[in-house]
Amino acid sequence: MLNYTIRRLFFTIPTLLFISFVIFLILDMAPNDPTGNLPMTIPPEVRENIRKSLGLDAPMYVRYLLWCNQFFINEPLNLLYEWFDWCIGDCENRTRVRSWSTRSPVVDLIVERMPQTLWVVGMSYVVGILIALPIGVISAYKQYSWFDQIGTFISMIGFSVPTFFTGVLLIVIFSVWIDQDSWFWLPSIYDTTLVVDSWGNFWLQVRQMIMPVMVLALYNAAQLSRFMRASMLDNLSQDYVRTARAKGLKEKTVLLVHVLRNSMIPVVTVIALSVPQVFGGAIITEQIFRVNGLGQLLIIGIQGADIPLVQTLTFIFAVLIVLFNLVADILYGLLDPRIRYD
Amino acid sequence: MLDARATILDVANLKTVFNTRDGMVHAVNHVSFSLAPGELLGIVGESGSGKSVTMMSLLKLLPMPPAEITDGDITFDGRDVRAMSDDELRRVRGGEIGFIFQDPMTSLNPVFTVGFQIMEPLRIHLGLNKKAARIRAAELLELVGIPDATARLKDFPHQFSGGMRQRVMIAIALACDPKVLIADEPTTALDVTIQAQIIELIKELRQKLGMAIIWITHDLGVIAEIADRVAVMYAGQIVEHAEVSELFKNPQHPYTRALLETLPDMSGTRSKRLRSIDGQPPALGKAPSHCEFAPRCTHAFDRCLKENPKRRDVSDNHDVACWWDAKTGGAADA
Ligand SMILES: Nc1ncnc2c1ncn2[C@@H]1O[C@H](COP(=O)(O)OP(=O)(O)OP(=O)(O)O)[C@@H](O)[C@H]1O
Ligand SMILES: [Mg+2]
């Protein structure tokens, strides 16, 4: 297994380099103009100078290599320096990947936005899983019961109604219709500046997280509970379940030890595979609730033709996707004794 | 009389149906049989004749719904099984009655070690702790002829061959020293040499442990080799029932006769051509109102299509459900 992991990790390097190049190529081919948002009164020569100052006059491959140098060498070295005070080379004047629109290092922007995304989107993911797994198990065990029917109906809704609809609906109900003094009132705007340093603030934080988390959790749970149900049903009809019952095991043991253990194998894989989505943020939901997370950052970057930002952010998502693919494979190997990688 | 003997398991008038979306399936239609301690009862019949459903009904191992036991009495060791609570039933399952199933490739849970799966019944029925259960599990593996037993406890099912897995299943079924072992086509999925080994093994274990066995099979040849008594099933009913030698010598039911004809000649000379029984097994959508075999029967006459025959005694240890009399070649006078 270790061998396999190392081998796989090794092979991700060329893959990721290739991906980074493709991203760069696509962004370069896109009809982008970083000066496009500037006032019309700015004369063309000035625009040209601005473009030059951003390094846009250099050929594509030079710009790509520069980005590679900045991202793969300078940024890690900078992290070492900032986190561990471990200085290699010229630590103060290193050129980092900088956003064109804000001029601040892209990695700093990302680090700044990460907590909001992890809190809201990550939490929604955890809540979604916690809701989905029991629902999936019970729906499968009591197939076609009223519980299963209602579960099917709700997950159909959660699955097919877009988050921008459920989000706005919740806002209308809980922020508009319900009186602001009521216990059930919830804020529609996520306040990033809130510092949780007391129970009162913690309560505020919880309240402002409820709606975005619920919107996303519903969506995630809808998918995952269906998946869990299908996987359970696959296994419930297997011969080994009959064997387990014929041994005299309790129904609970049959279900939660024998069947669940098998059903979790594909489900865990799916969960692992979709973790990168958490980091990707939920672009729409973050917009609706004004959560300034990574999804929003990406949108701003795209709108402002901020190529280094978009390039870096997209590439980090790519890294996460490749990485969690590997994690999923490894988990599969750990959970299923029939899989041997070596 | 058979009934005069002590019985460990007695099934009377068992009726099991499936309530499916396309209507009712009458899988088991008033089946009665009994089993004496230490005895080996063979059950033969075509695919779909209700052998498995009968056995699973005994301990409510069928999914309910769609399955439903609508009639009959099941008495195991003097106790009424149908009236048992779930807890009582579980104590019987795997504790007093062991099961072996047809397909050893899928009957074991792929993600747990063989040791874990053998230890489970030991722990719940005998209350052994982990250590004691492990020792006993190794003994069981050894008993069923798996070499290097202690080490193999840590292996997963996929690390065993089909025959070895069936041995593991046998070890699980026998773990708690059951009074009855139900073997549902335990060798059908195995190749011939392995099949012979498993049959030998069960014969040997039966001598050693003395449990009663119900052995389900398609293969009358196997029955001839190991069984004390045979019941022949057709369309969810027992159509003929006798001691083995009697059945082979003096088959009454046209279906039994046809089955015997499909056997390759025992002497090995293969004088007769291997043939199958013409026609299709009946659909089970209706409760039997006439002899279900009549449409395929060469001896059928008008009564066969009007009335379902009851089992009638042919001799002390032999009964048959048929309107035709094999002795006279005419209608039976029952
Ligand atoms: N879950 C179910 N739902 C509906 N019908 C069923 C179900 N299980 C079994 N049956 C029906 O019950 C009848 C008897 O099946 P059973 O499995 O007992 O046959 P069998 O004699 O064991 O055959 P085989 O030799 O193939 O194992 C079949 O006609 C089958 O279609
Ligand atoms: Mg069967």
Side-chain angles (χ1 to χ4, degrees):
Chain A
M1 189 68 95
L2 188 68
N3 264 335
Y4 171 80
T5 311
I6 293 169
R7 206 166 59 231
R8 278 282 301 268
L9 275 174
F10 185 76
F11 280 117
T12 57
I13 295 172
T15 314
L16 285 173
L17 277 176
F18 179 72
I19 291 175
S20 75
F21 182 71
V22 171
I23 297 173
F24 203 90
L25 202 66
I26 292 173
L27 288 177
D28 191 61
M29 286 191 301
N32 257 323
D33 184 4
T35 64
N37 283 348
L38 299 178
M40 296 288 268
T41 49
I42 294 179
E45 313 88 67
V46 181
R47 280 176 196 267
E48 210 40 53
N49 280 335
I50 293 174
R51 296 168 65 84
K52 219 175 256 171
S53 75
L54 296 175
L56 273 170
D57 53 341
M60 203 284 268
Y61 71 90
V62 174
R63 280 179 284 133
Y64 173 66
L65 289 178
L66 259 168
W67 179 84
C68 284
N69 177 47
Q70 289 167 351
F71 185 79
F72 291 115
I73 298 170
N74 292 356
E75 289 295 346
L77 288 177
N78 183 60
L79 277 187
L80 283 184
Y81 178 57
E82 281 184 5
W83 290 358
F84 307 109
D85 249 338
W86 192 5
C87 188
I88 302 170
D90 182 3
C91 293
E92 300 304 330
N93 311 309
R94 218 187 299 276
T95 56
R96 302 178 58 190
V97 186
R98 277 179 192 277
S99 151
W100 281 346
S101 50
T102 64
R103 304 306 299 159
S104 51
V106 168
V107 172
D108 293 356
L109 287 177
I110 294 173
V111 169
E112 195 177 288
R113 301 238 176 181
M114 192 90 88
Q116 287 84 275
T117 288
L118 283 189
W119 266 112
V120 174
V121 186
M123 185 63 82
S124 75
Y125 209 60
V126 172
V127 172
I129 293 170
L130 290 181
I131 297 175
L133 297 191
I135 289 182
V137 171
I138 299 171
S139 304
Y141 188 61
K142 303 258 177 220
Q143 194 185 9
Y144 305 132
S145 65
W146 62 264
F147 183 94
D148 185 27
Q149 312 272 8
I150 292 176
T152 306
F153 182 70
I154 292 179
S155 55
M156 274 255 293
I157 292 178
F159 195 56
S160 48
V161 176
T163 49
F164 61 76
F165 181 81
T166 34
V168 173
L169 185 71
L170 285 193
I171 288 178
V172 168
I173 296 174
F174 288 99
S175 309
V176 181
W177 286 356
I178 288 183
D179 197 64
Q180 190 144 7
D181 306 321
S182 156
W183 250 76
F184 294 101
W185 181 84
L186 296 170
S188 68
I189 293 179
Y190 188 93
D191 176 9
T192 320
T193 57
L194 183 74
V195 183
V196 180
D197 53 5
S198 67
W199 283 110
N201 281 347
F202 175 75
W203 179 231
L204 284 181
Q205 173 70 11
V206 169
R207 283 175 67 131
Q208 70 176 357
M209 275 173 64
I210 288 179
M211 281 202 289
V213 166
M214 276 311 165
V215 166
L216 286 170
L218 176 70
Y219 187 71
N220 290 334
Q223 279 176 302
L224 199 62
S225 67
R226 294 280 89 188
F227 199 73
M228 183 76 226
R229 176 179 180 273
S231 182
M232 284 292 285
L233 282 177
D234 270 353
N235 279 286
L236 275 169
S237 58
Q238 298 286 316
D239 286 350
Y240 72 78
V241 182
R242 184 181 57 189
T243 306
R245 292 205 175 106
K247 282 200 263 188
L249 298 182
K250 286 208 177 75
E251 209 46 32
K252 210 168 82 188
T253 318
V254 173
L255 196 67
L256 298 183
V257 176
H258 283 257
V259 181
L260 189 62
R261 182 62 174 41
N262 279 280
S263 313
M264 281 309 282
I265 295 172
V267 175
V268 165
T269 311
V270 166
I271 291 176
L273 283 178
S274 34
V275 167
Q277 287 172 15
V278 174
F279 289 86
I283 294 173
I284 293 166
T285 312
E286 285 189 357
Q287 287 287 1
I288 294 173
F289 293 99
R290 302 274 181 278
V291 181
N292 57 346
L294 293 177
Q296 212 192 38
L297 184 65
L298 184 64
I299 287 287
I300 294 171
I302 291 171
Q303 284 168 346
D306 193 345
I307 301 241
L309 177 63
V310 177
Q311 159 83 18
T312 307
L313 212 48
T314 316
F315 181 66
I316 289 176
F317 294 155
V319 172
L320 289 171
I321 288 169
V322 171
L323 221 59
F324 276 93
N325 261 293
L326 176 60
V327 169
D329 279 355
I330 291 172
L331 281 176
Y332 208 107
L334 289 177
L335 288 175
D336 191 339
R338 285 162 297 185
I339 309 276
R340 277 283 153 266
Y341 289 126
D342 299 318
Chain B
M1 279 294 285
L2 291 171
D3 298 352
R5 280 193 269 163
T7 54
I8 180 78
L9 178 68
D10 187 73
V11 177
N13 259 326
L14 178 70
K15 165 106 185 152
T16 305
V17 298
F18 291 94
N19 300 302
T20 68
R21 289 177 180 203
D22 312 322
M24 223 184 229
V25 177
H26 296 261
V28 178
N29 297 305
H30 301 292
V31 163
S32 306
F33 64 89
S34 66
L35 188 68
E39 184 188 34
L40 201 156
L41 170 68
I43 297 190
V44 279
E46 281 174 312
S47 196
S49 56
K51 307 181 295 292
S52 301
V53 174
T54 305
M55 293 309 139
M56 309 267 260
S57 299
L58 299 184
L59 293 183
K60 296 193 189 151
L61 281 172
L62 292 165
M64 301 187 183
E68 189 188 348
I69 299 175
T70 54
D71 194 13
D73 297 304
I74 302 163
T75 315
F76 171 70
D77 206 13
R79 286 166 285 164
D80 180 358
V81 177
R82 282 191 68 192
M84 280 184 183
S85 70
D86 286 352
D87 276 340
E88 286 173 296
L89 203 56
R90 269 199 298 273
R91 270 197 293 279
V92 177
R93 291 179 187 161
E96 295 175 88
I97 298 183
F99 265 93
I100 314 172
F101 299 104
Q102 176 168 345
D103 191 352
M105 303 314 264
T106 56
S107 292
L108 292 166
N109 193 327
V111 303
F112 292 111
T113 61
V114 156
F116 176 85
Q117 298 186 56
I118 303 177
M119 282 157 65
E120 258 180 338
L122 293 170
R123 301 199 61 186
I124 52 172
H125 294 301
L126 306 183
L128 299 186
N129 63 25
K130 247 201 178 115
K131 208 170 143 210
R134 185 170 294 282
I135 292 169
R136 175 89 182 111
E139 284 170 11
L140 282 162
L141 274 193
E142 213 156 303
L143 182 72
V144 297
I146 291 182
D148 203 8
T150 311
R152 299 230 66 183
L153 286 178
K154 288 199 265 315
D155 285 349
F156 289 92
H158 70 273
Q159 289 160 299
F160 290 76
S161 68
M164 285 293 169
R165 283 191 220 185
Q166 199 58 300
R167 286 170 193 262
V168 171
M169 275 302 293
I170 295 171
I172 292 175
L174 297 181
C176 304
D177 230 336
K179 299 192 178 92
V180 175
L181 174 70
I182 298 178
D184 188 352
E185 306 192 35
T187 59
T188 309
L190 304 172
D191 66 48
V192 187
T193 41
I194 308 293
Q195 208 167 355
Q197 287 174 14
I198 296 288
I199 292 169
E200 268 321 300
L201 173 69
I202 295 192
K203 267 164 111 178
E204 192 188 305
L205 291 173
R206 186 184 162 210
Q207 297 239 299
K208 233 184 255 179
L209 308 173
M211 68 280 184
I213 299 178
I214 298 178
W215 185 292
I216 297 173
T217 178
H218 294 150
D219 189 349
L220 274 171
V222 174
I223 294 285
E225 196 180 334
I226 57 170
D228 299 321
R229 273 189 305 137
V230 203
V232 180
M233 278 190 81
Y234 189 81
Q237 307 174 73
I238 292 182
V239 293
E240 184 160 10
H241 161 244
E243 285 194 347
V244 168
S245 53
E246 164 74 8
L247 187 95
F248 278 82
K249 251 188 303 185
N250 189 17
Q252 296 290 310
H253 200 284
Y255 177 64
T256 316
R257 294 169 157 239
L259 274 184
L260 285 169
E261 271 173 43
T262 63
L263 270 185
D265 194 340
M266 282 303 174
S267 61
T269 51
R270 266 206 186 230
S271 50
K272 279 178 284 185
R273 270 193 46 228
L274 203 64
R275 42 169 287 208
S276 61
I277 305 171
D278 293 333
Q280 289 297 313
L284 301 170
K286 287 195 307 253
S289 59
H290 58 81
C291 174
E292 293 288 337
F293 187 63
R296 299 168 76 185
C297 183
T298 47
H299 302 291
F301 50 99
D302 47 354
R303 191 176 189 185
C304 303
L305 288 163
K306 285 198 199 105
E307 244 181 294
N308 194 24
K310 293 222 166 57
R311 282 163 72 177
R312 59 180 165 87
D313 281 342
V314 177
S315 60
D316 258 4
N317 49 24
H318 191 168
D319 62 75
V320 66
C322 184
W323 295 125
W324 179 71
D325 191 336
K327 270 193 216 104
T328 63
D333 35 47

